Amino acid sequence: MKKISNFAIFTLLFVSSLTIMVGTVIAPALSGIVDYKNLSFSPSWLITLPSLGVVVFAPFIGRLLTKMSALKLLTFSLIPYAVLGVIGAFIDNQYLLILDRFLLGGATVGVQVSVTAYIAAKFEGEARMKMIAWQAMSIELGGVVFLAIGGVLGELFWQYPFYIYLLALVCLLLVFKTLPKITNKLDNVGTVAEVTKKDKQQVRVIFYASLLAMMLFFIGFVTLPLYLPSTFNFTESETGYLMAFISLVAIITASQMPRMVKLLSAGKTVALGFIFFMLGYLVLATSLAIPLLVLTAIFIGIGFGFTIPLLNHMMIEASNVQNQGKNLGLYSMAVFGGQFLSTFIEYISNNYAVIYIVTSCLALLIGVFIYYKFQKINKN
């Protein structure tokens, strides 16, 4: 397999960073957006509505991937990503704003599925796992950079963070200049590879693990922008910095994920990630000391690094050429479905301590369940 250039790898990682910023880039400016737009719905929906769009459009995008190359799908997704993202700053009608954020999710899943499929086509084995880890690191690095910039821009004016979506056009230029073309591998497949019962079970567990891991991770992103200013008097930029620190920890953890898999196994590493989620929200629920917020950020960041990138790689490994598009669509549905589900955590209570205690208990129960399911699959 012909290696691609380092510049092409940079392009893949840069494009990957767009996926996490789709909702979170405006999170630090959420209070300013609420003051201007006077929304009649929960403001956190502005962050999570793109996730609902991903869930709805993911099956269609998965099927589309079987009909065109990953590279072509990527180019067709970046333009609406940029346009739909930036015009959100200028839409005053609430229903049109909801529609815009929802359709933005459709463009986002096109970007995510096509980039991952391109990586799967160009890398194999251990090199693929490392590339998936780098992809997760780049996604979280995007979280660090874009959240920090979004916080600074949001302090200047609430509309400014929306302009960050235009980076998709820069990515489009890099895609044209650096990424070599790939053919649709289905063109060269004569027989359909057998899908075993174990593969089906593994895909199912990976789907639910991805859904729940991202839900737990994103609960912090939808609650902290409102919790930190009200409890600790944080400014928008300070909120952005703390959330960016969570992403920074996730980057460092993702870089060590392949080593952890060799030491423990993939299933045990994922279960350990849920335990770190539990610890993060437990500290957040039981302490009002600002220094302990750092400990919370470390635990939640580790939880992400041991779950989401590894589950992405596991989904690729459990797929064949024929069902890769479908399975990557399922993974996207799970990841962004988890983001959308995180919105409903606010309906549990008006007390954030209660919310974080419930989240911590959920993380523990899920971790034990996921550990059991992966152990059972490996014994079959």
Side-chain angles (χ1 to χ4, degrees):
M1 182 175 294
K2 186 178 179 180
K3 292 184 178 180
I4 64 176
S5 68
N6 290 333
F7 201 4
I9 291 175
F10 167 79
T11 297
L12 289 171
L13 300 181
F14 188 19
V15 174
S16 295
S17 70
L18 298 179
T19 57
I20 195 169
M21 85 174 208
V22 64
T24 59
V25 71
I26 64 171
L30 200 57
S31 59
I33 295 171
V34 170
D35 290 341
Y36 180 83
K37 290 187 177 291
N38 192 26
L39 302 174
S40 60
F41 54 86
S42 174
S44 61
W45 279 55
L46 289 178
I47 300 176
T48 56
L49 269 170
S51 305
L52 178 61
V54 169
V55 173
V56 173
F57 285 104
F60 169 74
I61 295 295
R63 289 194 296 269
L64 199 59
L65 183 62
T66 64
K67 301 180 183 299
M68 64 171 63
S69 71
L71 192 58
K72 185 177 292 186
L73 177 60
L74 178 58
T75 58
F76 286 153
S77 301
L78 287 170
I79 295 175
Y81 181 99
V83 174
L84 292 169
V86 74
I87 64 173
F90 306 99
I91 298 176
D92 292 326
N93 184 286
Q94 295 193 43
Y95 298 105
L96 289 179
L97 182 60
I98 289 172
L99 179 62
D100 172 71
R101 300 297 289 177
F102 174 74
L103 293 176
L104 179 59
T108 302
V109 69
V111 172
Q112 184 185 47
V113 168
S114 56
V115 170
T116 305
Y118 191 95
I119 291 172
K122 286 292 183 179
F123 298 87
E124 294 179 347
E126 189 172 340
R128 181 188 288 167
M129 179 182 283
K130 288 182 179 179
M131 188 63 190
I132 292 295
W134 290 347
Q135 184 189 30
M137 291 164 63
S138 69
I139 290 172
E140 287 307 300
L141 181 59
V144 172
V145 175
F146 297 134
L147 276 171
I149 295 175
V152 173
L153 293 179
E155 262 188 25
L156 296 175
F157 189 54
W158 67 269
Q159 280 185 328
Y160 290 166
F162 286 89
Y163 289 100
I164 299 176
Y165 289 110
L166 293 176
L167 283 174
L169 299 181
V170 177
C171 290
L172 181 63
L173 180 62
L174 290 173
V175 167
F176 281 131
K177 292 290 186 181
T178 66
L179 296 187
K181 293 182 178 180
I182 56 173
T183 57
N184 190 337
K185 291 192 290 185
L186 284 174
D187 296 339
N188 302 319
V189 175
T191 59
V192 177
E194 181 183 356
V195 179
T196 66
K197 182 179 179 181
K198 181 177 179 180
D199 289 335
K200 291 181 179 179
Q201 291 175 338
Q202 191 157 346
V203 166
R204 192 179 301 114
V205 175
I206 292 169
F207 173 84
Y208 287 116
S210 303
L211 176 79
L212 296 169
M214 187 54 85
M215 181 192 74
L216 292 171
F217 179 68
F218 230 71
I219 283 172
F221 277 80
V222 298
T223 59
L224 289 177
L226 300 175
Y227 174 66
L228 294 177
S230 63
T231 306
F232 297 97
N233 295 319
F234 273 34
T235 64
E236 285 90 343
S237 59
E238 288 171 338
T239 299
Y241 295 146
L242 181 69
M243 295 170 72
F245 180 63
I246 295 175
S247 297
L248 181 61
V249 174
I251 291 170
I252 297 171
T253 306
S255 69
Q256 301 304 309
M257 179 267 292
R259 293 184 181 181
M260 188 60 69
V261 171
K262 286 184 178 179
L263 181 66
L264 294 180
S265 79
K268 290 180 181 178
T269 301
V270 170
L272 182 62
F274 282 100
I275 300 304
F276 276 105
F277 280 134
M278 177 204 73
L279 294 173
Y281 287 109
L282 184 61
V283 173
L284 193 58
T286 56
S287 175
L288 293 176
I290 290 180
L292 288 179
L293 288 176
V294 175
L295 192 59
T296 288
I298 291 173
F299 286 151
I300 293 176
I302 293 175
F304 179 96
F306 282 167
T307 54
I308 296 301
L310 178 53
L311 289 163
N312 191 6
H313 177 262
M314 292 171 72
M315 185 65 88
I316 294 173
E317 292 294 301
S319 305
N320 56 42
V321 175
Q322 289 87 8
N323 64 20
Q324 185 184 85
K326 175 186 175 183
N327 287 348
L328 289 179
L330 283 173
Y331 175 79
S332 295
M333 287 177 65
V335 167
F336 286 93
Q339 292 184 20
F340 183 71
L341 285 178
S342 67
T343 306
F344 297 98
I345 197 72
E346 295 180 343
Y347 293 103
I348 291 177
S349 173
N350 292 325
N351 187 331
Y352 282 104
V354 173
I355 289 175
Y356 295 139
I357 283 289
V358 170
T359 304
S360 181
C361 293
L362 279 175
L364 176 61
L365 293 173
I366 294 166
V368 172
F369 176 75
I370 293 299
Y371 173 82
Y372 166 76
K373 295 301 290 185
F374 276 126
Q375 290 294 103
K376 184 179 179 181
I377 289 172
N378 291 333
K379 288 179 181 179
N380 291 340

